[in-house]
Amino acid sequence: MNGDCHTSIDGFGFSPERIADAVDRKGLLSMEIEFSLACNFKCPYCYNAYDTVQEQLLPEEIDDVISQAQKLGAEKIIILGGEPMIYPSIHERIRVMYDRGLTVEMFTNGSHMTVENARFMFEHDVAVVLKLNSRDRKLQNKMAGRDDAYDIIQSALRNLKKAGYPAPGKRLAASTVICEQNIDELPQIWRWLRKSNIEPYFEMITPQGRAAGDEGSKLDRHDNLGDGAKSPLDNLEWGKLDLKRQHSLFEQLARIDREEFGRKWDPQPPLVGNSCLRHCFSCLVNARGDVMPCVGVTLPLGNVKETSLKQILDESEVIDNLRNYRSRIKGPCGVCEKSEVCYGCRGAAYQLTGDYLASDPLCWHNEIEDIEFLPADVRPYLPHRSPMLLVDKICRVGEREGCISASIEPGNPFLNDDATLDEVAYVELIAQSVAALEGFPMSPEERARHLGVLLTVKKLEITGHARVKERLFIYLKKLGKLGDFGAVAGEIFRNEKKIAAGELTFFQKGPNNKPKANNASSP
């Protein structure tokens, strides 16, 4: 249903101290969850690019993961979709959360917001966030992908007001994306929402799914990994909007709030009047059961159908890096004067650069030439130099996995007389790839103090041969870690054929002064 990242409508509501505590204990304060991806709208900017989706969580799976989240400290559950009201037992799931004392927010397109359903939401203190992108009938219908969307939303608003919304403890909000098609009317919508006591929740579109022109085709594992990969910036459709215009809009809305409504805030993307550090205290469980940092950072950390939520969050390197964002975010976002309370949009950074720790390319404070995109030169992340440097690009970095590329050049010291790569080189390729993957999220100071030593090689299999001028891809998966010792499985591909594989164990000693997690701040 939605193309935004569904930040809580009240600015999270958590103090810096509570957020810092959540980081220290590896806990939660909120959790986002998709019950199902089924939706009866087809918004052209939606993060979900697929027309037919079958994934949904079973009622018992929903109740179980919400219980797990509550044990980790979560007190707010944000229901996403698809369209949540389509889920068959939505009332029962809300009752369960209400009886547990949890705060519930629900993003909805309003299509099932009957008088009865609106009354139910009001009686169970659900904060309703209604998708509203325009007050122009034609444009609203276009942005929802159906001809009756405007009437549906207006009916939902009437029914919610009849039920008593908005009222203390019964919050009503409007979720609105900022795009070229609606930007001129957004100041008027903002004023109307404020005067109606409806929380305006405006944000820039995360460039993914339909917004990025992806109609659902899955990329081959080697696509966009080598030299000359096309930047997603070239594919933007609904997310394509001049950043100067967006900046001007943020400034205008800040002025309206300050002069007309007595509300003061500093304009900064991607959220109007707010900022996002959600990864310090929240996560997403999607309709497949995958745990991800948010809908924009589409990196599965684990699946709650197989592993407990606590174990997934405790062991996640991605979550650890995001919670220690001050020493991890790269480029201009890492040194921005607003970095105490903002790290841009991690979803935009990931979708556009391939690196969830990169600077946000859609922030008007940043220059695009100062931001690194994947594939990235491997040299800053390794101590090796030619001719012993065998790998050349970091292509993908995920949750305890990644992909590194290598081009076999004539001066390679591991070439045999027949121009084939000697078998010992495959071990070195995997070892250098491991070192690059380990060093990638570190600051230059941390990398300088980081020590890594290869200990053993196991299950080495050579099933093919590579020759000079050929390009290889090394896929890594971390198998486990105990203290300073770790194990990694590596596979080496030439085109689509696997030619080598093996498992490496290694010792690594990181810097002793890793930043404390309790430095996290509130938006």
Side-chain angles (χ1 to χ4, degrees):
M1 179 193 76
N2 297 302
D4 53 57
C5 62
H6 310 294
T7 304
S8 169
I9 62 174
D10 62 354
F12 300 110
F14 305 120
S15 69
E17 294 76 20
R18 297 199 63 206
I19 293 175
D21 175 69
V23 172
D24 281 340
R25 59 182 172 81
K26 296 186 177 182
L28 296 172
L29 293 174
S30 68
M31 183 181 75
E32 299 167 85
I33 184 169
E34 298 172 345
F35 290 179
S36 166
L37 288 182
C39 189
N40 52 357
F41 278 25
K42 191 178 179 182
C43 303
Y45 55 84
C46 184
Y47 69 83
N48 171 35
Y50 301 96
D51 293 333
T52 57
V53 287
Q54 304 298 324
E55 293 93 344
Q56 70 174 26
L57 295 173
L58 298 173
E60 56 269 26
E61 292 171 336
I62 293 171
D63 294 348
D64 179 61
V65 74
I66 287 173
S67 176
Q68 293 183 55
Q70 191 171 25
K71 290 177 181 177
L72 291 173
E75 53 197 53
K76 179 181 296 183
I77 304 298
I78 304 168
I79 307 173
L80 312 178
E83 170 48 48
M85 297 287 289
I86 292 177
Y87 192 78
S89 63
I90 182 66
H91 282 203
E92 287 78 2
R93 306 285 68 75
I94 289 175
R95 282 196 195 96
V96 169
M97 290 183 278
Y98 178 80
D99 291 342
R100 288 175 174 167
L102 290 163
T103 298
V104 179
E105 290 179 8
M106 183 180 69
F107 284 73
T108 176
N109 60 34
S111 59
H112 285 61
M113 195 58 70
T114 62
V115 171
E116 294 75 20
N117 282 337
R119 186 181 302 118
F120 175 88
M121 299 300 158
F122 187 85
E123 291 171 350
H124 290 82
D125 299 340
V126 177
V128 177
V129 188
L130 186 64
K131 180 60 61 176
L132 190 154
N133 288 309
S134 176
R135 299 186 73 191
D136 175 83
R137 180 187 298 272
K138 184 177 180 180
L139 180 56
Q140 177 59 73
N141 290 343
K142 181 179 180 180
M143 293 186 68
R146 55 183 291 172
D147 293 337
D148 57 351
Y150 178 88
D151 293 330
I152 286 172
I153 292 168
Q154 295 305 313
S155 175
L157 272 173
R158 288 192 298 270
N159 292 338
L160 288 163
K161 289 180 179 179
K162 286 179 182 178
Y165 285 97
K170 322 281 187 175
R171 305 194 66 175
L172 178 61
S175 178
T176 306
V177 296
I178 302 168
C179 60
E180 185 176 354
Q181 290 80 356
N182 70 354
I183 191 169
D184 290 335
E185 66 171 314
L186 292 184
Q188 288 71 35
I189 294 178
W190 186 274
R191 284 190 177 96
W192 171 71
L193 292 171
R194 283 288 195 225
K195 292 176 181 178
S196 303
N197 292 319
I198 300 173
E199 292 285 341
Y201 176 51
F202 290 14
E203 74 165 323
M204 297 160 65
I205 294 175
T206 303
Q208 64 187 111
R210 294 189 189 124
D214 180 0
E215 291 300 327
S217 61
K218 290 183 178 294
L219 292 176
D220 180 85
R221 70 185 302 178
H222 297 292
D223 284 353
N224 290 333
L225 294 182
D227 291 329
K230 192 175 183 181
S231 166
L233 282 168
D234 298 327
N235 296 327
L236 294 188
E237 294 184 1
W238 280 80
K240 186 179 293 184
L241 179 63
D242 183 79
L243 292 182
K244 291 182 179 179
R245 291 192 70 195
Q246 300 206 64
H247 187 189
S248 177
L249 173 69
F250 275 63
E251 294 283 357
Q252 184 178 2
L253 296 179
R255 186 168 57 253
I256 290 171
D257 253 7
R258 183 176 61 254
E259 296 177 357
E260 300 179 24
F261 301 100
R263 299 173 183 239
K264 296 181 180 180
W265 45 269
D266 292 328
Q268 58 191 55
L271 311 174
V272 178
N274 208 334
S275 62
C276 177
L277 294 177
R278 59 161 21 91
H279 308 100
C280 292
F281 57 84
S282 187
C283 67
L284 165 74
V285 177
N286 71 15
R288 292 177 291 275
D290 291 330
V291 179
M292 297 192 295
C294 64
V295 297
V297 183
T298 49
L299 285 172
L301 313 177
N303 192 288
V304 294
K305 298 180 182 182
E306 303 166 355
T307 311
S308 73
L309 183 60
K310 175 177 172 54
Q311 182 178 344
I312 291 171
L313 296 179
D314 281 352
E315 296 179 356
S316 170
E317 293 184 353
V318 172
I319 291 294
D320 183 67
N321 286 330
L322 288 169
R323 291 187 169 183
N324 286 286
Y325 64 92
R326 281 192 179 84
S327 65
R328 295 288 186 254
I329 301 297
K330 304 168 186 174
C333 277
V335 295
C336 177
E337 61 181 11
K338 296 181 180 292
S339 62
E340 290 292 312
V341 294
C342 175
Y343 49 34
C345 177
R346 295 295 91 214
Y350 177 70
Q351 296 297 329
L352 290 174
T353 73
D355 178 10
Y356 63 95
L357 296 174
S359 289
D360 182 356
L362 297 184
C363 176
W364 56 74
H365 295 294
N366 298 336
E367 299 292 338
I368 197 72
E369 57 267 22
D370 295 331
I371 299 174
E372 186 176 61
F373 287 64
L374 293 182
D377 189 342
V378 77
R379 285 176 294 181
Y381 307 102
L382 285 177
H384 306 72
R385 290 295 177 264
S386 181
M388 288 304 298
L389 179 62
L390 304 187
V391 295
D392 56 16
K393 299 285 186 181
I394 299 175
C395 301
R396 188 182 69 243
V397 177
E399 175 60 76
R400 291 176 292 174
E401 62 90 24
C403 175
I404 313 294
S405 68
S407 181
I408 307 174
E409 300 300 329
N412 191 304
F414 293 95
L415 285 176
N416 295 317
D417 292 339
D418 61 356
T420 61
L421 200 60
D422 191 85
E423 292 185 350
V424 71
Y426 298 117
V427 174
E428 183 64 19
L429 282 167
I430 297 175
Q432 289 189 20
S433 297
V434 172
L437 193 64
E438 288 292 310
F440 188 67
M442 296 180 185
S443 68
E445 294 76 19
E446 287 177 307
R447 285 195 295 272
R449 298 190 299 271
H450 193 269
L451 171 68
V453 179
L454 174 64
L455 298 178
T456 64
V457 181
K458 299 166 50 180
K459 301 180 181 178
L460 182 64
E461 297 180 356
I462 309 296
T463 56
H465 294 283
R467 303 181 63 86
V468 69
K469 293 296 185 181
E470 290 184 329
R471 191 159 184 77
L472 305 178
F473 291 93
I474 303 96
Y475 292 89
L476 302 178
K477 182 66 178 177
K478 296 182 181 181
L479 301 176
K481 189 175 181 181
L482 181 61
D484 295 326
F485 297 89
V488 173
E491 295 181 329
I492 301 177
F493 281 77
R494 183 192 65 222
N495 297 323
E496 296 300 317
K497 183 178 180 181
K498 183 167 68 174
I499 61 173
E503 294 181 7
L504 273 58
T505 60
F506 57 91
F507 170 86
Q508 58 176 0
K509 187 67 174 177
N512 294 323
N513 58 344
K514 182 179 179 180
K516 291 185 178 180
N518 63 8
N519 285 333
S521 296
S522 165

